[in-house]
């Protein structure tokens, strides 16, 4: 697996917490030094490990918000 870097730029909120302490979170994350994107995924307690997730740019996140408000 290729190495990659990430930085959680802004922690927006926790959606749920599992029995093992992992949290499903909405954050703004910079991947490999790129512009921060909205990110929904599971994280280990200290953000040292992560699960698969969904990353959205600003336009996609705005469209999601609009869909959810209907």
């Amino acid at each position: 697996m290729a190495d990659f870097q990430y930085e959680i730029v802004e922690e927006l909120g926790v959606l749920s917490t599992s029995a093992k302490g992992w949290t499903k979170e909405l954050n703004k994350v910079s991947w490999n030094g790129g512009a921060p994107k909205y990110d929904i995924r599971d994280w280990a307690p200290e953000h040292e490990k992560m699960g698969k997730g969904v990353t959205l740019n600003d336009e996609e996140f705005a469209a999601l918000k609009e869909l959810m408000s209907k």
Side-chain angles (χ1 to χ4, degrees):
M1 182 183 291
D3 288 337
F4 64 94
Q5 298 176 342
Y6 67 91
E7 176 187 2
I8 298 174
V9 176
E10 185 178 358
E11 295 182 18
L12 298 169
V14 173
L15 304 173
S16 64
T17 303
S18 75
K20 293 186 177 185
W22 282 58
T23 53
K24 186 176 306 284
E25 300 180 15
L26 172 62
N27 297 313
K28 294 254 338 214
V29 179
S30 171
W31 298 99
N32 294 319
K37 295 183 178 184
Y38 291 94
D39 185 81
I40 301 171
R41 75 180 61 243
D42 292 330
W43 290 93
E46 299 299 321
H47 293 132
E48 72 277 8
K49 293 182 182 178
M50 68 184 80
K52 292 183 180 179
V54 175
T55 301
L56 305 168
N57 63 31
D58 290 341
E59 293 80 20
E60 292 166 331
F61 187 72
L64 177 62
K65 281 176 54 176
E66 184 175 329
L67 286 171
M68 296 199 54
S69 68
K70 292 181 179 181

